Amino acid sequence: MFGAGGGTSSYREVEDTDVIILWGSNARETHPIFFHHVIAGVRNGARLYCVDPRRTSSARWADTWLGIHVGTDIALSNTMAREIIHAGLHNARFIERATCNFEEYAASVEDWTLERGAAVTGVPAEVIAEMAHTWGRADRAQLCWTLGITEHHNAVDNVVALINLALLCGHVGRYGCGLNPLRGQNNVQGGGDMGAIPNKLPGFQEILDDAARAKFDAAWGSTIPPRHGWHLSAMFEAMERGDLTALYVIGENPAQSEAESEHAVHLLEGLDHLVVQDIFLTRTAQLASVVLPASAAWCESEGTVTNSERRVQRVRKALEPPEGARDDIEIILDVARRLGHDWRYDSSEAVWDELRSLSPMHAGMSYARLEELGGIQWPCYDEDRLEPTWLHGRLWAEDPAERGQPAPFSVVVDDPPVDKLDEEFPLRLTTGRRLDSYNTGVQSGGFASPLRFGETIDVSPEDARRLDIADGEQVRVTSRRGTLVAPARVDPSLRPGLVFMTMHFPDDIDTNLLTIEAIDPRSGTAEFKASAVRIEKLEPLAAAGGD
């Protein structure tokens, strides 16, 4: 939408804003460092809204919780937009000068009255109106989201629906305003920045751009194909067709992290050759033809990471890796040499300096400056200056030439979850994370936590009574794809009809047996957040021998 795939502001700006919306984000548990800044913003007077099907621990800090039905985010965004436009709270001057497609967008939301929005989303009309008016009147406002928005079959549309709201009120391109996709791991942003996405070269340079490819070809002695690659879901589709027969997996556990995990394992087992490079013998590594033991990058390697606010920070080696484990870059260089490419770098700094020579947005970030300043946010084009902490300030420039390409509004259509509720599968399962654990538990599962209680199927008090389920009772959970047994946990943060599980303990309870592989065609993300399930009491074991 803006030409760069990063959050538009800094953590510090969340402390200096008037309104914060956490939309599909339980940041208190899943992004706890960022949430400290949210708390500071609230204490400084910001109004906090949480849009989430569950009344999470984040929502308990909020001025207002909007308990939205799973998968109705576009309906809520469109309803807010109509209310803002009809109340005259949209920033007409910003829209005219810095955006395009507004008239088409305004027409597309016209039918989304407060009454219709309330009926579809489950959020009372007056609550939608209150958040819309507060967002529209705010001088500065921040909108943050995570997987609650993106793990849907229409993930990209969900994101652009939120971007529409920022464009509508001019809440982007200024200090204290922004759109922030929170990254769930310390270097998710850095992975994308370095080109680990199928359509971009490092620095978000388009792979179809002849000049960009030529620059990299000259540096690498390569011929980069002028085509987009496959994202993860497309890779699995290619495995099923037989078009992908070999796979190199680095620091990922798709055998347990993919939707419809039983099917994912079947496809991985069918590969001609699977290489896994990791610090643990994961479930995926157990399927591999070759396992390459890697070092733990956070303490056994030199390099950089980039966090959610686009801040590049140094990682310093503190320990030697155990015998047999090696730095990721060393392993990759050895593989390259065996394939006939003599790649040699004297140090991690040499690798970084090559990146800086090819990616303009990193050019000014020498190791020395990163050390001196404790990290630098991109873009940083020159070694003698720093750019503002927020992106897209050009949109506010007086000179049209300086403003450049307008930011487009997008028409987005409400599209309910693929896995429909019915009499056989009447409950909506949504998945997520908890504070004490991490993804598929590979890294966190080996350490005890006083907060951890293992995997459960969390149900509302109302559903527990209706199903005659006691807290801690083992129950059978079934979707259209699989069945598992888990202990029930009565959770008052859930509304009737909504149940919750995590993916943290797949060796004990494989939640992703239940989830649906409904894929967003543009992002490749599966709809982890919206499966249809039923819960059944287990039949007691028959008494034996009169006991």
Side-chain angles (χ1 to χ4, degrees):
M1 302 301 292
F2 297 106
T8 69
S9 58
S10 65
Y11 290 171
R12 180 68 178 82
E13 292 172 63
V14 176
E15 302 179 22
D16 292 333
T17 194
D18 302 317
V19 177
I20 306 166
I21 299 179
L22 294 178
W23 198 312
S25 167
N26 183 16
R28 171 67 185 85
E29 296 191 33
T30 60
H31 300 87
I33 302 303
F34 171 77
F35 198 72
H36 285 300
H37 299 276
V38 173
I39 292 172
V42 170
R43 288 174 172 162
N44 289 338
R47 188 165 184 84
L48 174 62
Y49 293 88
C50 283
V51 180
D52 200 298
R54 300 184 297 141
R55 191 175 183 271
T56 62
S57 57
S58 302
R60 294 181 199 126
W61 282 85
D63 295 276
T64 304
W65 167 55
L66 288 81
I68 190 173
H69 293 326
V70 173
T72 61
D73 305 280
I74 289 172
L76 180 59
S77 172
N78 284 352
T79 304
M80 282 182 63
R82 182 190 187 277
E83 179 64 16
I84 288 168
I85 293 168
H86 276 249
L89 297 175
H90 55 299
N91 192 323
R93 180 164 172 76
F94 175 81
I95 291 169
E96 180 183 358
R97 291 172 13 135
T99 74
C100 60
N101 301 339
F102 172 70
E103 296 300 331
E104 183 183 5
Y105 170 68
S108 75
V109 302
E110 183 57 32
D111 291 339
W112 282 99
T113 62
L114 290 172
E115 292 72 24
R116 182 187 178 194
V120 173
T121 67
V123 179
E126 63 272 18
V127 177
I128 300 176
E130 194 256 319
M131 185 166 80
H133 284 241
T134 305
W135 177 260
R137 290 195 179 103
D139 176 40
R140 295 176 294 185
Q142 297 266 352
L143 205 165
C144 312
W145 67 89
T146 53
L147 303 180
I149 285 295
T150 57
E151 287 188 340
H152 289 273
H153 75 282
N154 54 348
V156 171
D157 281 353
N158 283 343
V159 172
V160 298
L162 304 189
I163 293 173
N164 285 336
L165 293 177
L167 295 178
L168 196 58
C169 300
H171 292 324
V172 66
R174 297 185 292 123
Y175 181 82
C177 296
L179 290 152
N180 293 299
L182 306 177
R183 310 307 191 187
Q185 300 165 39
N186 70 331
N187 197 36
V188 169
Q189 183 67 53
D193 296 350
M194 296 302 108
I197 44 181
N199 61 333
K200 299 290 184 180
L201 294 161
F204 293 106
Q205 298 172 83
E206 173 56 54
I207 201 166
L208 301 181
D209 184 323
D210 293 342
R213 288 198 320 281
K215 179 173 60 174
F216 283 87
D217 285 340
W220 293 346
S222 63
T223 304
I224 299 170
R227 62 174 182 270
H228 291 171
W230 288 326
H231 52 59
L232 181 60
S233 297
M235 291 183 195
F236 274 91
E237 291 169 358
M239 290 181 216
E240 192 142 34
R241 296 191 307 270
D243 293 338
L244 179 62
T245 58
L247 190 66
Y248 188 177
V249 178
I250 304 177
E252 187 77 12
N253 186 24
Q256 294 183 313
S257 63
E258 284 299 286
E260 298 190 36
S261 56
E262 189 172 22
H263 183 55
V265 169
H266 171 71
L267 293 176
L268 291 169
E269 288 175 334
L271 291 167
D272 292 344
H273 193 60
L274 173 61
V275 179
V276 174
Q277 183 171 317
D278 212 312
I279 62 176
F280 292 107
L281 192 66
T282 64
R283 177 73 177 94
T284 307
Q286 292 171 29
L287 303 174
S289 315
V290 176
V291 177
L292 303 173
S295 61
W298 67 275
C299 64
E300 297 171 350
S301 298
E302 293 283 336
T304 63
V305 295
T306 309
N307 70 358
S308 289
E309 64 169 354
R310 298 172 283 107
R311 185 175 301 279
V312 179
Q313 301 172 84
R314 284 277 285 111
V315 176
R316 300 162 187 82
K317 186 175 182 178
L319 299 170
E320 290 298 324
E323 185 176 356
R326 303 177 63 204
D327 184 274
D328 286 303
I329 290 178
E330 290 181 10
I331 296 172
I332 293 169
L333 293 180
D334 262 2
V335 171
R337 279 191 282 271
R338 282 162 171 76
L339 291 170
H341 303 281
D342 191 21
W343 298 349
R344 297 186 183 276
Y345 300 87
D346 294 333
S347 64
S348 64
E349 186 174 9
V351 177
W352 181 250
D353 284 342
E354 179 188 89
L355 178 276
R356 292 200 300 131
S357 73
L358 295 168
S359 171
M361 73 184 202
H362 294 96
M365 298 185 190
S366 65
Y367 263 27
R369 284 193 90 198
L370 291 174
E371 294 275 5
E372 176 189 356
L373 298 174
I376 300 172
Q377 285 179 271
W378 63 254
C380 180
Y381 303 110
D382 300 292
E383 291 197 51
D384 57 357
R385 80 168 196 266
L386 294 175
E387 302 299 321
T389 58
W390 63 95
L391 296 179
H392 316 309
R394 65 176 179 81
L395 296 173
W396 294 89
E398 293 293 331
D399 183 356
E402 188 178 344
R403 282 200 303 273
Q405 188 77 17
F409 282 95
S410 300
V411 172
V412 283
V413 177
D414 176 50
D415 190 8
V418 172
D419 209 12
K420 305 301 183 188
L421 301 181
D422 58 21
E423 290 185 4
E424 187 179 5
F425 299 101
L427 299 171
R428 178 63 72 196
L429 169 66
T430 193
T431 63
R433 294 175 286 188
R434 296 194 187 109
L435 176 62
D436 60 272
S437 297
Y438 188 74
N439 288 0
T440 59
V442 171
Q443 296 182 66
S444 58
F447 302 89
S449 167
L451 301 175
R452 186 173 301 144
F453 48 81
E455 190 54 82
T456 57
I457 174 75
D458 296 355
V459 300
S460 70
E462 295 87 347
D463 285 331
R465 285 193 294 269
R466 180 177 59 82
L467 296 167
D468 190 26
I469 294 172
D471 194 73
E473 179 180 352
Q474 295 284 328
V475 297
R476 180 179 293 107
V477 188
T478 304
S479 76
R480 293 181 174 94
R481 290 152 297 282
T483 296
L484 53 79
V485 173
R489 175 174 172 266
V490 180
D491 184 354
S493 76
L494 295 170
R495 295 170 296 133
L498 181 67
V499 296
F500 176 79
M501 297 184 76
T502 79
M503 71 301 290
H504 297 320
F505 311 99
D507 291 333
D508 300 321
I509 298 172
D510 189 359
T511 299
N512 280 329
L513 285 173
L514 304 173
T515 52
I516 183 172
E517 197 177 11
I519 305 298
D520 175 70
R522 285 177 285 178
S523 68
T525 306
E527 194 158 62
F528 291 94
K529 299 301 183 192
S531 300
V533 301
R534 66 172 179 265
I535 296 176
E536 300 164 292
K537 290 176 70 71
L538 294 179
E539 294 296 327
L541 293 174
D547 295 331

